[in-house]
Amino acid sequence: MAESRLLRGKCFLLSVCLVLLSLTRTDGLYAPITYVTSGVAKGAVCLDGSPPAYNFDKGYGTGINSWLVQLEGGGWCHNVTSCLARKNTRLGSSKQMGNQLAFSGIMSNRRQFNPDFYNWNRVKVRYCDGSSFTGDVEKFDQATNLHFRGARVWLAVMEELLAKGMRNAENALLSGCSAGGLATIMHCDSFRALLPMGTKGSAKNLPLSCTRRLRPSLCFFPQNVIQQVRTPVFLLNAAYDYWQVSSLQRSKDKEHLGTC
């Protein structure tokens, strides 16, 4: 298949959290948003039923056939209450996403800041399903209007990128931060091979190498998945993580209050 030519050699995975300190501006450009309206008919939608989306800046020159795909992060929602809380935000609805997104760091188009990838095709896949692009539940609750279709979102965006030239890629890098970093580990092998994802439910879309051994809920954690990933994986971690710091602080506050 033409899709199998996506990677002619190695597939690289980079799970990256980048922090840019800037007082007045970003060092890159603002990339326009693209809505994958064709995916709606296939059930590829955000939590609120709106179409998936991504931001894209086309490559040129030596990078014309190289692709950097970054999966947006934003934590998980783990029950109806927490998913409802994000349904009407940019993490649950493409209606709430801005028309443009700043591309900086490894997404920048400026060579002095991003010498390795500045002229690659660079894509930010927007995160709006709350489960690291894994959910695939056909029915949705009429009362809440919540859709759990992250796996379909992943596939719909990948199909559109293939049609835009990614099927001819000579180099491809899948990256992400936080929940997006987890998604890179979960989807790296399928990104390399672009296998069909027609099964239902998050458990069915998690790596079988993990779910054969452990409960599906444990396969959301990279330490249980990464050992069986066949594609080379490179992990970077910031010295301080906002979520961890705030969560640890809350735990300490509870200890001082004598709560559990």
Side-chain angles (χ1 to χ4, degrees):
M1 295 189 302
E3 290 83 354
S4 65
R5 299 201 303 271
L6 172 60
L7 297 176
R8 301 170 181 170
K10 294 183 177 179
C11 168
F12 296 97
L13 166 76
L14 183 62
S15 178
V16 180
C17 291
L18 293 174
V19 178
L20 294 179
L21 299 178
S22 176
L23 295 177
T24 59
R25 60 181 177 82
T26 62
D27 60 38
L29 79 157
Y30 285 86
I33 195 169
T34 298
Y35 299 98
V36 190
T37 55
S38 60
V40 176
K42 303 174 184 178
V45 293
C46 299
L47 283 173
D48 71 332
S50 58
Y54 63 90
N55 297 75
F56 175 55
D57 187 47
K58 187 173 177 59
Y60 62 92
T62 57
I64 191 68
N65 288 320
S66 295
W67 289 74
L68 169 59
V69 178
Q70 187 169 85
L71 306 181
E72 186 177 28
W76 304 327
C77 60
H78 57 278
N79 55 32
V80 171
T81 301
S82 60
C83 290
L84 278 174
R86 69 164 63 199
K87 187 182 80 167
N88 295 318
T89 73
R90 65 175 180 81
L91 292 175
S93 172
S94 61
K95 297 176 183 178
Q96 305 301 323
M97 299 173 186
N99 292 329
Q100 295 182 320
L101 185 69
F103 272 17
S104 57
I106 64 171
M107 303 295 285
S108 173
N109 67 335
R110 298 180 64 179
R111 187 171 187 172
Q112 62 267 45
F113 296 114
N114 187 24
D116 296 307
F117 311 113
Y118 73 97
N119 64 347
W120 284 32
N121 297 282
R122 284 155 292 111
V123 184
K124 171 82 80 169
V125 182
R126 305 305 296 272
Y127 180 43
C128 64
D129 72 282
S131 63
S132 291
F133 302 93
T134 64
D136 190 3
V137 179
E138 182 67 33
K139 294 183 179 180
F140 65 94
D141 189 339
Q142 295 284 350
T144 62
N145 196 39
L146 284 171
H147 299 71
F148 302 103
R149 306 279 181 77
R152 299 190 192 189
V153 167
W154 159 265
L155 185 57
V157 174
M158 292 301 109
E159 288 176 344
E160 182 154 312
L161 295 180
L162 287 170
K164 285 193 170 183
M166 195 170 72
R167 62 165 45 95
N168 299 315
E170 296 175 357
N171 300 288
L173 180 69
L174 185 65
S175 69
C177 178
S178 188
L182 175 67
T184 60
I185 295 172
M186 291 179 174
H187 291 293
C188 185
D189 286 344
S190 62
F191 177 69
R192 183 175 188 176
L194 290 174
L195 299 175
M197 299 178 67
T199 52
K200 300 181 184 297
S202 286
K204 298 290 183 65
N205 290 298
L206 297 172
L208 289 176
S209 59
C210 181
T211 55
R212 288 193 184 111
R213 300 179 294 109
L214 300 171
R215 296 195 310 273
S217 59
L218 294 176
C219 294
F220 266 96
F221 297 93
Q223 65 266 32
N224 297 324
V225 180
I226 199 168
Q227 297 93 332
Q228 305 301 321
V229 174
R230 296 187 299 274
T231 306
V233 178
F234 303 92
L235 299 176
L236 299 177
N237 194 55
Y240 299 99
D241 181 273
Y242 172 78
W243 183 87
Q244 290 178 324
V245 171
S246 60
S247 296
L248 288 172
Q249 185 59 50
R250 285 195 297 269
S251 297
K252 290 180 179 179
D253 290 343
K254 288 182 179 180
E255 291 177 3
H256 291 320
L257 292 173
T259 59
C260 60

